[in-house]
Each structure stands twice: as C-alpha cells, then as structure tokens.
C-alpha cells in the first residue's frame, strides 16, 4: 500500500490518515466485487461489517431494498440535531480494462464512477466519529443503492428514510476527475441537471422503396423531427437558461430490407434542464413540434416524456456551510465556491427535494486521462482521508459540542473491516 502523500488541515484528517491503509483495502475490495443497483448484497454486507467494527450505535439494513443506515450519537444529544451523510454503493454494467490487483472480478461489471470510493470515505468518517464523538447530536450515515439509473434515493425515501431518521440537513459528495486532488467544488444552486427520457413514436405508411410516392415515410419524418427539435433550445429557451435535447437512438425498418419503407419509426433521447419551468416548456414544445412536423408529411407522432431524476439543487445556507468546512481542511484557495453545474444527473436530487443540504465535488485528478464511466477509470485512494474528514467536519461543525472539557475517545472492538 503506497504512503499517503495528500495532506489537509485539522484533527479529523490526521486521525483518519492513521488508518488510510485499512480504508484503502476496503475500497479496493469493493472495487473488485462490483454490483448493480438493488443487487448490492455483498457491498451492503461489507458495509455492515465495517460499521460494526467501527462501533456505530445502530445499523439498519434493507432500507430501499439494499440500502444501509448507520447511526452514531455524539457525546451529547441535547441539541436534538440530526445530520445525514450519503454515499452511493452501486456499480455500472461495463467491462473494466484495468489490470491492477483489485480490478473487477465480475465480467461486464465495474465501479466506473467511484461509488466504491464514496462508500469507503463514509466508512472512514464513521470510524472517526465513533471513536471521537466530538459533536452534539446524531450523525446518520446513508449508504444508498441504485444511484445509476435506479432512483435508489427515492426508494430509500419511500421506504421511510426521513421518517425514521428525521435529519435537518443532508450532504453528499462525488469524486471529480476534472478537479485536482485536494480541492473541493460547490455552488449555492444547481449542481446537476434534471434527466428526462423522451420517446417519439412516428406512424406513417409503409411500402416499396421504388414507389415511395405511395408511402408516408417515417424515416423521412424522423429526419425532419431530429433537426426541428434542435430549434427548441435555440428559439424557445431563454439564452440565460440552460437546456439540452439529444436524440440518441433511431430505430426504423430492417437493415436487410433495402427497398422496404417501414410503417413506423422510434426516436429515443434525453432532455437536461435545471429549471422546472424550462423542463415543462421543453416538454410542451416537443409535443407540439413533433406532432406538427409529422402532420405536415401525413404521419403522426406521439411523444412520451418521462421525468427520471430532478435537478440537484443545493440550498444556499448549507452550500455555504459545506464550503466553509472544506475551506477549514484545504484552505480557501482550494475551494471552488462557484463551480459550474454539470448537465449530468444525480438521484441525490430526491433527497434535496425533501431536505436542506448540499452536493459537493471532491477533486481526484484525471488519472491516466480517464474520466467517470471510462473503462480505464479508477478511484484515487489518496483522497479517501480527505473525503472522510470532510464528512466528519460536516458533523462536528454542523453540530458543535459545547466547550466543556476535552473530547472523550471511545474504544472499538476491531479496526479491521
């Protein structure tokens, strides 16, 4: 195991850095055993083992199918404060092309987005918080399944997450290869866009390609619709608003039938927006425009607009607070407080619809040039103690213990995960 080179300020970081090898080994074990959303049986089991070893007060498995919640009470709970910290656990259905010792042992599955690292950082924070308990309130550690398209956050909420653990605020972070290791990015508003799926079904009249005048060609209609919908953003959405419409798949006809005009065509794509107003505007214009274009050719078009993930919108006070906590660890020059939002999506948005909170990016460098969802990607273990200390700082600074003597350390049964 390589020596930790990345350094940060504060007692929490120094404490957590001492068990850097253990959390690194834990992270690499998760990386070698990736699991898809709602199938995280091994991962959830390892998390529970680690939380027991850390000495957390309560462990609640099976929330939102395979989700796990750990509870740690501070040396005082007089404040009645409760803060949630969330880490996602699932992997991706993609083949890994790395050859290091902890590469995926499962063909076609890979931790290509760093959720193994997010889980390990929260486990590291759990150990520190359980050993020190230097806060007044209750820390709720949320290990969430199914972020990658399965809406695991919503599943946990629907399964009573915030009824059973009524946190006042909730925080999450995601590694970001576009930022240097040792830096943190955040802003006081939108961090990620809403992700919607659009399906456009076009019905025409099939026939012989040599007698196309007798047909209503849905392939031709599709081409005009693909071009026309790009005008929605440029001519209907205000320039100061953000929106993306991408038609990403087209299905029509048979590649083996060169002279057959099909009767139907289907287009599939995605819409990304930050504002509910713009989201509704885009949906309305898609329905109107597709129907009108198809009608002009004698065809019909039906648009199905599915809202998958809402936009991830930080609440301003919590974003400012999270930035302050990050600054206490890495200094003001290493905190980007006005980070540009991403048009990607994140289901932590469901939690932020229910609770105040903030979503951060923790820099990890683009190692080998591999960004997220790349078959050569790997989480940078150097940032594990920093991410764990950032989680811990949100608890300690968000629920400060009144000055009354020195913190008491609690012994744990084991330090092995």
């Amino acid at each position: 195991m390589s020596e930790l080179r990345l350094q940060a300020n504060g007692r929490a970081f120094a404490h957590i850095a001492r068990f850097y090898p253990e959390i690194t080994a834990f992270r690499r074990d998760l990386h070698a055993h990736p699991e898809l959303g709602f199938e995280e049986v091994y991962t959830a089991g390892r998390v529970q083992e680690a939380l027991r070893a850390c000495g957390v007060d309560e462990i609640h498995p099976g929330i939102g199918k395979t989700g796990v919640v750990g509870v740690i009470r501070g040396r005082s709970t007089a404040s009645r404060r409760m803060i949630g910290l969330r880490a996602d656990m699932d992997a991706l259905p993609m083949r890994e092309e790395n050859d290091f010792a902890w590469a995926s042992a499962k063909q076609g599955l890979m931790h290509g987005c760093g959720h193994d690292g997010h889980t390990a950082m929260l486990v590291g924070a759990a150990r520190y918080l359980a050993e020190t308990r230097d806060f007044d309130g209750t820390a709720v550690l949320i290990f969430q399944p199914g972020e990658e398209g399965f809406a695991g956050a919503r599943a946990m909420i629907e399964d009573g997450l915030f009824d059973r653990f009524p946190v006042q605020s909730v925080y999450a972070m995601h590694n970001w290869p576009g930022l240097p290791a040792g830096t943190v990015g955040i802003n006081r508003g939108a961090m990620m866009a809403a992700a919607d799926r659009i399906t456009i079904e076009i019905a025409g009249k099939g026939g012989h390609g040599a007698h196309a005048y007798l047909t209503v060609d849905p392939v031709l209609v599709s081409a005009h619709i693909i071009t026309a919908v790009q005008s929605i953003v440029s001519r209907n959405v205000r320039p100061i608003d953000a929106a993306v419409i991408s038609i990403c798949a087209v299905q029509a006809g048979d590649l083996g039938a060169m002279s057959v005009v099909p009767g139907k065509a289907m287009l599939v794509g995605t819409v990304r927006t930050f504002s509910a107003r713009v989201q509704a505007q885009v949906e309305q214009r898609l329905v109107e425009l597709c129907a009108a274009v198809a009608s002009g050719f004698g065809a019909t078009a039906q648009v199905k607009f599915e809202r998958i993930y809402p936009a991830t919108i930080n609440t301003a006070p919590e974003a400012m607070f999270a930035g302050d906590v990050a600054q206490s660890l890495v200094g003001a020059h290493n905190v980007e407080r006005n980070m540009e939002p991403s048009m990607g999506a994140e289901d932590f948005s469901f939690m932020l619809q229910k609770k105040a909170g903030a979503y951060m990016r923790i820099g990890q460098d683009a190692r080998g040039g591999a960004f997220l969802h790349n078959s050569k990607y790997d989480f940078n273990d150097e940032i594990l103690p920093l991410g764990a200390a950032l989680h811990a700082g949100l608890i300690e600074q968000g629920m400060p213990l009144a000055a009354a003597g020195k913190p008491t350390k609690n012994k744990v049964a084991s330090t092995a995960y």
Side-chain angles (χ1 to χ4, degrees):
M1 201 82 62
S2 60
E3 181 182 354
L4 178 63
R5 295 178 297 275
L6 182 67
Q7 295 298 313
N9 303 318
R11 178 172 65 93
F13 180 87
H15 186 118
I16 294 166
R18 295 202 296 267
F19 50 83
Y20 167 63
E22 288 99 320
I23 54 176
T24 299
F26 178 77
R27 197 285 296 181
R28 292 180 178 181
D29 178 64
L30 296 186
H31 188 94
H33 300 91
E35 296 171 303
L36 296 178
F38 299 134
E39 298 177 7
E40 305 96 335
V41 176
Y42 178 84
T43 305
R46 292 288 284 117
V47 166
Q48 292 173 68
E49 291 173 7
L51 295 180
R52 280 192 291 269
C54 292
V56 306
D57 297 309
E58 300 173 17
I59 300 172
H60 302 267
I63 300 176
K65 297 183 180 179
T66 47
V68 179
V69 173
V71 175
I72 304 173
R73 287 180 280 275
R75 287 199 296 128
S76 169
T77 56
S79 72
R80 298 183 180 274
R81 289 277 298 161
M82 186 178 286
I83 291 177
L85 305 173
R86 173 270 207 173
D88 37 18
M89 300 189 295
D90 57 324
L92 289 158
M94 59 186 291
R95 184 172 66 88
E96 182 162 7
E97 294 184 325
N98 291 312
D99 57 5
F100 40 62
W102 57 92
S104 174
K106 296 183 178 181
Q107 185 68 26
L109 297 181
M110 177 191 177
H111 268 295
C113 203
H115 296 185
D116 50 341
H118 303 163
T119 299
M121 290 191 297
L122 192 51
V123 165
R127 177 172 170 180
Y128 167 79
L129 292 168
E131 290 179 357
T132 59
R133 299 182 185 264
D134 190 19
F135 58 97
D136 179 3
T138 303
V140 178
L141 314 180
I142 304 165
F143 295 88
Q144 181 210 301
E147 188 280 326
E148 296 286 359
F150 294 91
R154 182 173 60 193
M156 292 191 82
I157 293 168
E158 291 176 348
D159 205 13
L161 174 66
F162 293 139
D163 297 322
R164 297 171 63 179
F165 312 98
V167 300
Q168 285 82 43
S169 56
V170 62
Y171 298 88
M173 68 183 79
H174 200 295
N175 77 95
W176 199 245
L179 286 175
T183 61
V184 176
I186 195 167
N187 66 46
R188 291 179 291 173
M191 285 293 289
M192 303 282 278
D196 301 318
R197 174 188 172 95
I198 53 173
T199 304
I200 306 170
E201 296 185 5
I202 301 162
K205 178 183 177 183
H208 200 300
H211 304 281
Y213 64 94
L214 297 174
T215 73
V216 176
D217 187 355
V219 177
L220 177 63
V221 176
S222 297
H224 281 267
I225 285 178
I226 291 169
T227 301
V229 297
Q230 297 308 314
S231 70
I232 294 174
V233 174
S234 66
R235 290 298 179 267
N236 297 116
V237 177
R238 298 187 310 168
I240 60 174
D241 292 325
V244 173
I245 303 174
S246 293
I247 302 299
C248 300
V250 181
Q251 185 178 73
D254 187 334
L255 293 178
M258 72 171 191
S259 61
V260 176
V261 174
K264 295 181 179 180
M266 181 177 293
L267 312 178
V268 174
T270 187
V271 171
R272 303 297 171 107
T273 55
F274 293 116
S275 158
R277 173 184 56 79
V278 175
Q279 183 185 43
Q281 180 186 24
V282 170
E283 178 179 9
Q284 179 181 346
R285 288 300 296 134
L286 271 168
V287 171
E288 295 170 346
L289 188 59
C290 291
V293 171
S295 177
F297 289 92
T300 61
Q302 298 291 326
V303 177
K304 183 179 181 181
F305 195 99
E306 299 173 88
R307 285 171 166 77
I308 307 300
Y309 286 175
T312 304
I313 310 292
N314 289 341
T315 48
E318 286 68 28
M320 293 177 67
F321 165 67
D324 291 343
V325 173
Q327 182 173 316
S328 71
L329 287 167
V330 297
H333 61 291
N334 285 318
V335 179
E336 173 54 73
R337 290 179 180 263
N338 295 297
M339 188 169 191
E340 182 178 275
S342 167
M343 297 307 284
E346 160 67 65
D347 79 339
F348 184 63
S349 54
F350 290 109
M351 295 192 183
L352 290 180
Q353 285 188 328
K354 299 292 184 180
K355 299 290 180 178
Y359 181 81
M360 297 166 278
R361 301 200 191 284
I362 180 168
Q364 83 136 34
D365 296 324
R367 309 176 78 207
F371 201 74
L372 305 174
H373 293 217
N374 186 298
S375 60
K376 290 285 189 180
Y377 168 87
D378 189 31
F379 189 87
N380 183 357
D381 293 321
E382 287 279 315
I383 71 170
L384 287 170
L386 175 58
L390 182 51
H391 276 308
L394 293 166
I395 297 299
E396 290 185 334
Q397 296 181 45
M399 301 183 291
L401 191 64
K406 295 181 179 179
T408 301
K409 293 186 178 180
N410 297 293
K411 294 182 179 180
V412 295
S414 170
T415 58
Y417 303 141

